[in-house]
Amino acid sequence: MKRPQVVETVSDLRTVVREWRRQGLSVAMVPTMGALHDGHVSLTRIALERADRCVVSIFVNPTQFAPTEDLDKYPRQLAADLDRLAEAGVQLAFTPTAAEMYPHGFDAKVAIGGPSAGLETDFRPTFFEGVATVVAKLFLQTLPDCAVFGEKDYQQLCVVKKLCRDLDIPIEIIGAPTVRDADGLAMSSRNAYLSPTELAVARQLNKILRHAARSLQSGASEQETLEKARQKILAAGFGAVDYVEARESDTLAPWQRDRDGRILVAARLGATRLIDNVEIVGI
Ligand code: PAF
């Protein structure tokens, strides 16, 4: 297995991508913060089905963390990540430093309205500004044909799609299904923080959401269904539920019964905050 080429500067990244373009090759990108798991590997597989070459960025982006969040403790494991990318057949890893991404004097901020309102933003007010800014930079640095994002971070996926639509960034955004363990727990780099007891609790979350989605699809009241889901999440052992809401799939506007939607949740387990979502088929 050949490890991917690693570049740390925008200039080296552009040199490699320019050479691929000269050879007539198409390029896909998978932006990540590292600590790669099976979910990320599935994104790279989809990327390589869609394009000749795949660039994975690994950058723990400080601007999307609030001062109280886990920036310092976020898992960093570059050697293991490069092994995973080698297994997946990824050709290039872009691993910039914070100074490369945010040189002295950097002050731009990309704010996307629409789908960034509410949900995560109610609890992490500057999160999507940080994500939209770094993703816009990564896209303009790499200029891929397409980029793959996981549906696990469903609101983020909607924000990135809107970023490209509103700013005429000609990159196709592909949403990839969430990869789960046998009990339905969504793969997440933050699962590494969970103790065995917490993992058992975390595994209840998706079951509760799927049950709520089935209830909504069979006509149950939205308010009662979501309140029951909230109570079940707390009874399962979560310490707090930040939100459990039904939204329309494309716009994240409040869900209408005849439209496809998503139930989105964020809940806290010890010091860890988990998010997940499931589909609701409109009736
Ligand atoms: O989903 C993530 O890992 C990050 O939010 C992203 C998209 C790489 C931006 O830093």
Side-chain angles (χ1 to χ4, degrees), residues 124-204:
R124 309 174 76 192
T126 56
F127 174 67
F128 284 120
E129 204 170 81
V131 169
T133 305
V134 81
V135 170
K137 279 178 71 77
L138 290 166
F139 282 176
L140 295 170
Q141 290 161 348
T142 313
L143 296 175
D145 299 289
C146 62
V148 189
F149 288 80
E151 286 183 350
K152 158 145 181 305
D153 297 289
Y154 196 82
Q155 190 177 10
Q156 169 173 278
L157 172 63
C158 296
V159 167
V160 171
K161 284 184 176 166
K162 182 127 168 58
L163 165 78
C164 290
R165 241 186 350 258
D166 284 6
L167 298 184
D168 303 309
I169 299 177
I171 296 171
E172 183 192 357
I173 303 304
I174 300 160
T178 304
V179 176
R180 299 181 183 279
D181 74 5
D183 295 305
L185 176 66
M187 296 285 163
S188 164
S189 306
R190 290 188 168 100
N191 291 350
Y193 300 152
L194 300 174
S195 68
T197 318
E198 289 172 333
L199 269 172
V201 174
R203 292 199 164 99
Q204 302 302 310

Side-chain angles (χ1 to χ4, degrees), residues 248-249 251 255-261 280-283:
E248 273 186 32
S249 301
T251 57
W255 178 61
Q256 307 290 318
R257 209 160 266 284
D258 58 342
R259 304 267 176 88
D260 288 347
I280 322 164
V281 179
I283 46 178

Side-chain angles (χ1 to χ4, degrees), residues 76-124:
R76 287 161 174 87
Q77 45 174 64
L78 185 59
D81 287 349
L82 293 177
D83 288 342
R84 295 225 72 167
L85 296 182
E87 282 163 35
V90 167
Q91 292 85 6
L92 185 65
F94 176 44
T95 62
T97 59
E100 179 71 10
M101 291 301 276
Y102 301 117
H104 183 67
F106 178 91
D107 317 291
K109 283 194 177 75
V110 180
I112 296 296
S116 61
L119 302 169
E120 284 300 289
T121 299
D122 288 343
F123 296 85
R124 309 174 76 192

